[in-house]
Amino acid sequence: MARPTNANAEETRARILNVASELFARNGEDGVSVRTIARESGLSVAMVNHYFGSKHGLYEACIDQMYIELNRLRRSGPFAPGMAAVQQWRPVLMMVLHVARAHRHTVTLLLRQVLDHGAVNPDRFARDVLPSLNSVVEVLEPHSHLTGSELRFAVQGVVHALTRFSLASFDELRAILDLPEADDEGVFQATAEHFAEFAIRSLGLPADTQPTTQH
């Protein structure tokens, strides 16, 4: 039985978005041509323009897709609504770093958007960023001694640290943690533990969720 035409169209659109997202993440909007995106997608320039109209239209579609993915992860992850019963935040925060590391090109594109334009577009910030930030604050507030804007600022600071450490190389992390002999898995495990400690303190979460041993 033949596949419906719209299924092929969705697959083609998704292929273009995946290729373009990785290229934009590495090189920025100005550093990538539609011709390169088309070549890497195995399509013609006309086909790419058919779906997205222009390079900027494709860039905006990649950013839209990135926020859809981030919101999907948030809704299904540890900071989803209904997670207020969580008591042990340390393993949750360690898992957050593992998730961010597994989605590095999405995180890179998020950072690249700021590098390219100096800030997130105000309309996009109001639509995509602020609601997510507020939902995380709502989950954390019953557990934290911080409230309101103070907690919102702390969450944003932890997100920036999460972004940076999710993109760091193992050699960089090895040097920061002074673990010259550790393998990559050990280095990242130690990074996750330190990140969780940092986040717990920054977010004003209960001290008894921190480990009793010191690194």
Side-chain angles (χ1 to χ4, degrees), residues 32-162:
V32 181
S33 67
V34 174
R35 187 175 301 279
T36 299
I37 294 167
R39 184 181 67 247
E40 295 295 320
S41 304
L43 300 167
S44 67
V45 171
M47 182 64 75
V48 173
N49 286 332
H50 167 73
Y51 281 98
F52 298 99
S54 65
K55 184 175 75 168
H56 185 68
L58 175 53
Y59 179 81
E60 288 295 315
C62 289
I63 299 297
D64 287 340
Q65 186 63 36
M66 175 194 68
Y67 280 112
I68 289 170
E69 174 68 8
L70 289 173
N71 282 327
R72 183 188 68 78
L73 290 171
R74 179 180 57 80
R75 288 194 301 270
S76 62
F79 295 108
M83 291 298 289
V86 172
Q87 297 299 321
Q88 294 298 318
W89 288 102
R90 190 164 183 272
V92 167
L93 291 161
M94 290 174 67
M95 184 183 75
V96 167
L97 184 59
H98 280 274
V99 171
R101 186 83 176 184
H103 293 79
R104 292 181 73 184
H105 96 267
T106 299
V107 174
T108 304
L109 187 57
L110 178 65
L111 184 59
R112 174 62 70 178
Q113 181 189 198
V114 176
L115 293 175
D116 282 350
H117 301 288
V120 178
N121 176 278
D123 291 337
R124 189 182 291 282
F125 185 86
R127 185 186 70 226
D128 297 321
V129 178
L130 199 56
S132 294
L133 181 60
N134 288 336
S135 70
V136 172
V137 169
E138 184 178 350
V139 170
L140 291 175
E141 203 159 27
H143 305 273
S144 175
H145 64 74
L146 306 178
T147 59
S149 59
E150 190 178 21
L151 181 55
R152 190 178 296 109
F153 191 89
V155 169
Q156 192 70 354
V158 169
V159 168
H160 285 302
L162 173 67

Side-chain angles (χ1 to χ4, degrees), residues 154-173:
V155 169
Q156 192 70 354
V158 169
V159 168
H160 285 302
L162 173 67
T163 300
R164 182 64 185 88
F165 286 116
S166 69
L167 298 177
S169 70
F170 288 117
D171 286 341
E172 181 182 3
L173 295 173

